[in-house]
Amino acid sequence: MFINRIASLLKPGGRLVNLSSAGHRFADVDLDDPNFETTPYDPWIAYGHSKTANILFAVEFDRRHRDRGIRATAVHPGGIQTELGRHLSPEATDALIKSIDAAQKASGAPQFKYKTIPQGAATSIWAGVVADADEVGGRYCEDCHVANIVDGAGIRGGVRPYALDPDRAKALWAKSEGMVGERF
């Protein structure tokens, strides 16, 4: 919640770009059991929870600050070979890419290809500097555009409706405040 401590320093026209991921499509946040105390732990579900939370945080931050001229968005940089992979076995990485490729093939899309670091940074730069603030505020962006809302199987393309739900965003904000013992 560091940004909440410095939010007052942002001037009108400022933007918060929150990194998320297509991994948000793995799962919505679980506000009843955010730490997997009663639910069996699954690393992909946990990743989905965290990436959905990143989007919901941006939605609520945007709602709270847009009247001051501050906008917030969440972005998916794309598949980039980063240090995240250090936590995955080569078999898990291969299985993930094979599942993505199968979904891509079924939809007629090309096979998965990692982005370069500059390609991965492009959406963050676009959302933070280039795009119209009202276009990206409170939304999820990928590949230098505001993502379409999609539902259904697969993890490629679009944003799940639960990740942009303003009521879920408010509830997550309240849960986060309770967990850290502070109000923002």
Side-chain angles (χ1 to χ4, degrees):
M1 297 281 228
F2 174 71
I3 186 61
N4 285 319
R5 294 198 174 224
I6 64 168
S8 64
L9 300 176
L10 294 174
K11 297 189 181 336
R15 297 187 198 182
L16 168 68
V17 177
N18 222 13
L19 281 183
S20 184
S21 166
H24 82 275
R25 298 180 197 110
F26 291 134
D28 190 0
V29 294
D30 183 347
L31 297 175
D32 296 324
D33 189 22
N35 295 319
F36 290 89
E37 293 169 347
T38 60
T39 307
Y41 180 78
D42 178 293
W44 290 116
I45 299 299
Y47 185 70
H49 288 181
S50 70
K51 297 300 127 182
T52 298
N54 292 144
I55 300 168
L56 289 170
F57 179 87
V59 168
E60 182 62 9
F61 189 93
D62 186 77
R63 185 190 71 78
R64 289 171 175 255
H65 296 278
R66 68 179 161 233
D67 288 344
R68 291 185 33 225
I70 312 295
R71 301 309 303 257
T73 188
V75 301
H76 169 47
I80 307 165
Q81 289 184 301
T82 66
E83 286 298 307
L84 178 64
R86 74 182 177 277
H87 299 292
L88 299 173
S89 69
E91 297 81 18
T93 301
D94 289 344
L96 178 62
I97 291 173
K98 283 180 183 176
S99 71
I100 292 169
D101 281 343
Q104 293 288 90
K105 185 177 182 178
S107 69
Q111 284 189 316
F112 173 79
K113 183 179 174 189
Y114 283 108
K115 288 184 173 185
T116 65
I117 301 234
Q119 289 169 333
T123 301
S124 294
I125 301 301
W126 174 81
V129 180
V130 178
D132 180 85
D134 291 332
E135 178 185 356
V136 298
R139 295 189 173 87
Y140 173 83
C141 302
E142 59 189 2
D143 296 323
C144 296
H145 72 274
V146 174
N148 293 324
I149 298 172
V150 297
D151 218 346
I155 62 165
R156 300 288 297 165
V159 60
R160 297 291 190 250
Y162 57 73
L164 295 175
D165 182 309
D167 293 329
R168 299 281 297 154
K170 287 178 189 176
L172 175 67
W173 192 280
K175 180 71 169 184
S176 299
E177 287 180 332
M179 291 177 77
V180 299
E182 293 186 46
R183 293 191 51 87
F184 299 102

